[in-house]
Amino acid sequence: MTAPPRLAAELRAELDDVLAGLAAEAADCDPGDGWYPDTGELDDLLDQVEDLVSDAPATAHGLAGHAAARIREVLATGPCLSSGLDDALLRAEELQAA
């Protein structure tokens, strides 16, 4: 079974919005400061991706891969002083492999 295209598109757009916001926060930090991102919304979106794994594995795989790539971009933007984004990246990679 596949997820409805609209659901997948909406979830991808939400992931992009949240990750763009996190990237903007990282970019706004002074280089020597570091930053503590709030990954709560990202975690919620990854929960939704995880919910798709059993019913729409191809959709979940694609969304997780997209999320992982975007998380890597955010991590490269600025020094993150918490493990939230690293944990989200690991989870996205695991969902991609599922």
Side-chain angles (χ1 to χ4, degrees), residues 13-72:
E14 288 181 58
L15 283 164
D16 284 341
D17 287 346
V18 167
L19 289 163
L22 290 171
E25 286 178 22
D28 284 345
C29 287
D30 290 327
D33 286 344
W35 147 79
Y36 294 91
D38 178 358
T39 58
E41 285 183 84
L42 179 58
D43 293 334
D44 291 344
L45 292 171
L46 289 174
D47 287 344
Q48 292 179 44
V49 172
E50 185 173 10
D51 291 343
L52 293 173
V53 169
S54 61
D55 292 332
T59 301
H61 174 82
L63 287 168
H66 177 72
R70 293 293 313 274
I71 293 167
R72 283 186 206 96

